Amino acid sequence: MIGPEEYADRIARATAAMQDRSIDCLALSAGSDLTYLCGYDAMPLERITLLVIGTYGPPTLVVPELEAPRLEMPDGLVELRAWRDGEDMIKVVAAELRRACPPAPIIAVSERMWAGTLLSVQDAFRHARFVPAGRVMEPLRVVKSPVELDMLQAAAAAVDRVVSAYSDVEWVGRTEADVAREISGLLRDAGHARVNFVIVASGPNAASPHHTAGARVIEPGDAIVVDVGGTLGGYCSDITRVVCVGEPGGDVARAYGNLRAAQEAAVAHVHPGVSAESVDAVARAGLAETGWGDAFIHRTGHGIGMDEHEAPYIVAGNNSPLETGMCFSIEPGIYVPGVFGLRLEDIVAVTDEGVEPLNTAAHDLIHV
Ligand code: ZN
Ligand code: ZN
């Protein structure tokens, strides 16, 4: 559990980051940035919920009155400005921003604020300049606190238990969608409050990295990419393993050996101070050397925390150095359209010594 002191510290660090970047106001709508700062998991509704942290006055949460019974946050952390259906919510928000800011302010807004909301706020507040809240929030959230690392570790351990149950699942003769439903249940049984995705991509369908589990019936000889994740205690899990029905034919076994070596090399490269893109380059070089360079069609990984995809992105062009406390996936893949697909994914944390994988499920093909 994140305690009241950690929330207060997060708001203090956000305020300091705003000052460093000459930002007058932070305006966060429903989403993980808002939850990160005050603990409230607001519903993403057309009714506005907005956390306003400005130059003047205490942080204020503008909230639809009917949502007030759901509010859960430490006492005294923010002031409330409840508004009622029938009030002009844009006027309420504009008044709150005016109260909190100097004239002609720079306001950092949630990247995931609904465009309709932002357009209305911009219209009501023409002398403001709007910038993305990531400038303030990303540097805060990209390095996890010890409590957050514990929560990510708990989510990873839960999803590892789901993987260990794959050998008890009936695969052959069932549709991908049917198996995906069963795995969703396993995620919930393992403690996830929310199932974020269950990819069951069998045979040639696995060549599409984000395949939607569908009507294809799983057959003997299939290699099946199983990529699952959920949210537990507010933090996300995400793991990919490959299930094989009997012995896979063609290039699958050789390709999987090459993929596993590339993934392990990329994990071993992780260390404070190396760039995010160099981890991607190691995975890519491993697959290129074994002839699969063109078959690896996506970045190597993404950060994970309260969102299943967040900074740091492990991708060419991100030359930011890795720091102790960052958490991300390492998930190279091989995709041969019309034939097969493979991916191997673990979540890892950067430590002072190098790297600690949070997932510990075996890397072998799971034969069923
Ligand atoms: Zn995944
Ligand atoms: Zn992932």
Side-chain angles (χ1 to χ4, degrees), residues 314-328:
I314 310 303
V315 63
N318 182 4
N319 59 11
S320 303
L322 298 179
E323 294 175 48
T324 297
M326 288 181 172
C327 258
F328 48 85

Side-chain angles (χ1 to χ4, degrees), residues 24 64 100 103 122 138 168 176 188 192 220 225 229 235 254 290 298 352 361:
D24 301 301
Q122 283 178 319
E138 191 182 299
D168 300 326
E176 296 170 341
R188 287 209 178 78
H192 291 85
V225 168
Y235 285 77
R254 178 177 70 87
T290 48
H298 54 69
D352 289 337

Side-chain angles (χ1 to χ4, degrees), residues 172 202-204 216 218-224 243-250 252 339-340 368:
V172 185
S202 63
R216 185 178 183 278
I218 294 167
E219 299 170 0
D222 279 353
I224 310 159
V243 172
C244 279
V245 182
E247 281 309 315
V252 169
V339 188
F340 71 92
V368 294

Side-chain angles (χ1 to χ4, degrees), residues 197 227 238 240 331 345:
F197 53 89
D227 184 353
D238 186 4
T240 310
E331 51 177 308
E345 172 179 31

Side-chain angles (χ1 to χ4, degrees), residues 44-257:
L45 300 170
E46 75 293 352
R47 292 185 176 102
I48 295 177
T49 299
L50 195 74
L51 177 64
V52 177
I53 301 178
T55 313
Y56 309 124
T60 302
L61 186 68
V62 176
V63 64
E65 192 175 50
L66 81 165
E67 295 297 308
R70 293 184 63 249
L71 282 175
E72 265 182 51
M73 65 180 76
D75 289 341
L77 188 69
V78 301
E79 291 201 347
L80 291 183
R81 166 63 173 96
W83 61 272
R84 185 171 278 207
D85 280 355
E87 267 188 273
D88 182 335
M89 63 184 183
I90 297 298
K91 270 192 184 154
V92 172
V93 165
E96 198 48 51
L97 292 171
R98 261 183 213 106
R99 180 201 58 73
C101 296
I106 298 177
I107 302 177
V109 293
S110 301
E111 274 115 294
R112 299 184 192 185
M113 182 180 281
W114 290 14
T117 304
L118 178 58
L119 289 169
S120 300
V121 171
Q122 283 178 319
D123 222 26
F125 216 69
R126 293 184 181 234
H127 299 296
R129 188 153 78 82
F130 293 86
V131 299
R135 291 187 194 174
V136 173
M137 297 304 299
E138 191 182 299
L140 262 62
R141 288 181 54 186
V142 75
V143 172
K144 270 59 184 180
S145 73
V147 181
E148 289 186 288
L149 287 169
D150 286 348
M151 294 173 91
L152 282 161
Q153 177 67 78
V159 89
D160 281 347
R161 290 201 297 280
V162 173
V163 169
S164 70
Y166 286 171
S167 32
D168 300 326
V169 170
E170 201 64 53
W171 297 81
V172 185
R174 294 172 71 190
T175 64
E176 296 170 341
D178 192 22
V179 171
R181 263 192 299 279
E182 180 173 345
I183 294 175
S184 294
L186 294 175
L187 283 160
R188 287 209 178 78
D189 291 348
H192 291 85
R194 201 158 57 212
V195 175
N196 295 329
F197 53 89
V198 175
I199 296 171
V200 175
S202 63
N205 287 347
S208 166
H210 285 168
H211 172 71
T212 304
R216 185 178 183 278
V217 175
I218 294 167
E219 299 170 0
D222 279 353
I224 310 159
V225 168
V226 186
D227 184 353
V228 303
T231 307
L232 190 156
Y235 285 77
C236 294
S237 66
D238 186 4
I239 190 169
T240 310
R241 291 294 184 266
V242 177
V243 172
C244 279
V245 182
E247 281 309 315
D251 271 339
V252 169
R254 178 177 70 87
Y256 189 77

Side-chain angles (χ1 to χ4, degrees), residues 28-44:
L28 302 177
S29 52
S32 52
D33 281 342
L34 187 155
T35 310
Y36 179 84
L37 289 185
C38 70
Y40 174 47
D41 188 6
M43 249 186 225

